[in-house]
């Protein structure tokens, strides 16, 4: 099971332990984020490395920028390096194209990877990239794979789902395309459609809403332009609401 955050993973494990009779019943289940599962799979293969923290990563990016004379926001450069390394820049316009030339990015990536290698370190992108490479070399797959918050996965994580579920019995994804908020990190709105087409998936729609009043749900359809699924409110009428355009 692949939740979106470590906190969600812990909550899922706790609930399963409670329902299934304790830790022993779920000890063989892997319940963790993409990065945690990737880290564990790599360690099982005997790979030795340290995981660079965000401070170390940003310091390397600053050094690369200074060495190359690149001006601009270091955070944007860090994002651009990530996109180039995970090949998201081919499909997404996530970085400020006017900030860095292709040549500058290639050189920045080279310096970035050399500095990490000198530290025997990897970043979070490396965990996923190495896990994907590993999946191509070994036959181990997950028989049953569940992925939560599917609307927020990146193209690289989508490839991992394909690799980990290949030859398995079932893959189950959960999410809501209309709640996708991580496009700036590479999440693709079309991932749901792509998955359903590739997997010939059965779609189960949960159309009852337990949180919002009818007024809010009606207004949400206007925000979504009528593209979202119509949700049926469980709650009764509430306060009037209005849509304000800024």
């Amino acid at each position: 099971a692949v939740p979106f955050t470590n906190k969600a993973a812990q909550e899922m494990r706790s609930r399963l332990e409670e329902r299934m009779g304790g830790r022993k019943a779920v000890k063989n289940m892997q319940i963790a984020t993409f990065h945690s599962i990737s880290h564990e799979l790599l360690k099982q293969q005997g790979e030795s490395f340290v995981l660079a923290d965000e401070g170390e990563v940003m310091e390397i990016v600053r050094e690369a920028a200074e060495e190359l004379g690149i001006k601009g926001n270091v955070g944007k450069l860090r994002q651009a390096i990530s996109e180039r390394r995970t090949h998201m820049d081919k499909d997404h316009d996530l970085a400020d194209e006017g900030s860095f030339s292709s040549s500058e990015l290639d050189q920045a990536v080279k310096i970035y990877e050399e500095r990490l290698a000198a530290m025997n370190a990897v970043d979070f992108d490396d965990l996923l990239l190495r896990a994907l490479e590993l999946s191509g070399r070994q036959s181990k797959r997950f028989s049953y794979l569940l992925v939560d918050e599917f609307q927020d996965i990146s193209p690289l994580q989508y490839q991992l789902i394909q690799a980990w579920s290949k030859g398995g019995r079932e893959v189950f994804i959960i999410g809501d395309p209309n709640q996708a908020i991580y496009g700036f990190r590479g999440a693709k709105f079309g991932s749901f459609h792509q998955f359903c087409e590739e997997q010939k998936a059965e779609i189960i729609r949960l159309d009852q809403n337990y949180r919002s009043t009818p007024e809010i749900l009606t207004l949400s359809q206007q925000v979504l332009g009528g593209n979202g699924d119509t949700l049926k409110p469980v709650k009764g009428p509430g306060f009037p609401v209005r849509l304000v355009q800024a």
Side-chain angles (χ1 to χ4, degrees), residues 135-176:
S135 69
R137 304 198 310 262
Q138 64 173 206
S139 58
K140 180 180 179 181
R141 300 291 188 273
F142 295 109
S143 298
Y144 297 91
L145 182 65
L146 179 148
V147 182
D148 195 14
E149 304 291 3
F150 187 79
Q151 74 275 0
D152 293 327
I153 67 167
S154 69
L156 178 54
Q157 290 168 338
Y158 189 97
Q159 292 180 61
L160 279 172
I161 293 172
Q162 291 176 309
W164 289 347
S165 63
K166 187 176 181 180
R169 296 188 62 178
E170 291 184 11
V171 56
F172 189 98
I173 67 170
I174 304 169
D176 181 355

Side-chain angles (χ1 to χ4, degrees), residues 58-170:
M58 290 302 294
E59 182 59 30
I60 293 174
V61 174
R62 288 190 190 93
E63 291 174 358
E66 291 176 3
E67 187 170 327
L68 297 172
I70 296 177
K71 306 297 182 182
N73 186 289
V74 176
K76 286 186 177 180
L77 178 58
R78 192 259 184 276
Q79 180 70 14
I81 289 173
S82 174
E83 291 164 20
R84 179 60 60 92
R85 297 183 72 226
T86 59
H87 306 292
M88 285 196 300
D89 58 338
K90 295 181 179 179
D91 302 312
H92 296 270
D93 183 20
L94 303 181
D96 183 352
E97 290 186 352
S99 297
F100 320 107
S101 69
S102 180
S103 175
E104 285 177 330
L105 272 180
D106 287 339
Q107 293 179 73
V109 168
K110 183 174 184 294
I111 293 172
Y112 181 82
E113 292 180 339
E114 287 176 348
R115 300 289 165 82
L116 282 178
M119 298 163 55
N120 189 33
V122 300
D123 66 7
F124 285 104
D125 288 333
D126 285 315
L127 290 179
L128 304 186
L129 290 166
R130 290 192 182 191
L132 184 60
E133 180 185 357
L134 175 64
S135 69
R137 304 198 310 262
Q138 64 173 206
S139 58
K140 180 180 179 181
R141 300 291 188 273
F142 295 109
S143 298
Y144 297 91
L145 182 65
L146 179 148
V147 182
D148 195 14
E149 304 291 3
F150 187 79
Q151 74 275 0
D152 293 327
I153 67 167
S154 69
L156 178 54
Q157 290 168 338
Y158 189 97
Q159 292 180 61
L160 279 172
I161 293 172
Q162 291 176 309
W164 289 347
S165 63
K166 187 176 181 180
R169 296 188 62 178
E170 291 184 11

Side-chain angles (χ1 to χ4, degrees), residues 147-214:
V147 182
D148 195 14
E149 304 291 3
F150 187 79
Q151 74 275 0
D152 293 327
I153 67 167
S154 69
L156 178 54
Q157 290 168 338
Y158 189 97
Q159 292 180 61
L160 279 172
I161 293 172
Q162 291 176 309
W164 289 347
S165 63
K166 187 176 181 180
R169 296 188 62 178
E170 291 184 11
V171 56
F172 189 98
I173 67 170
I174 304 169
D176 181 355
N178 294 314
Q179 294 189 38
I181 60 173
Y182 285 97
F184 68 94
R185 288 203 326 205
K188 291 178 62 178
F189 180 82
S191 292
F192 271 94
H193 178 73
Q194 181 181 351
F195 177 88
C196 292
E197 287 289 316
E198 291 177 351
Q199 301 289 337
K200 302 296 188 292
E202 177 187 0
I203 300 175
I204 302 171
R205 301 186 186 280
L206 306 179
D207 59 4
Q208 285 189 302
N209 183 284
Y210 295 85
R211 284 183 178 175
S212 304
T213 62

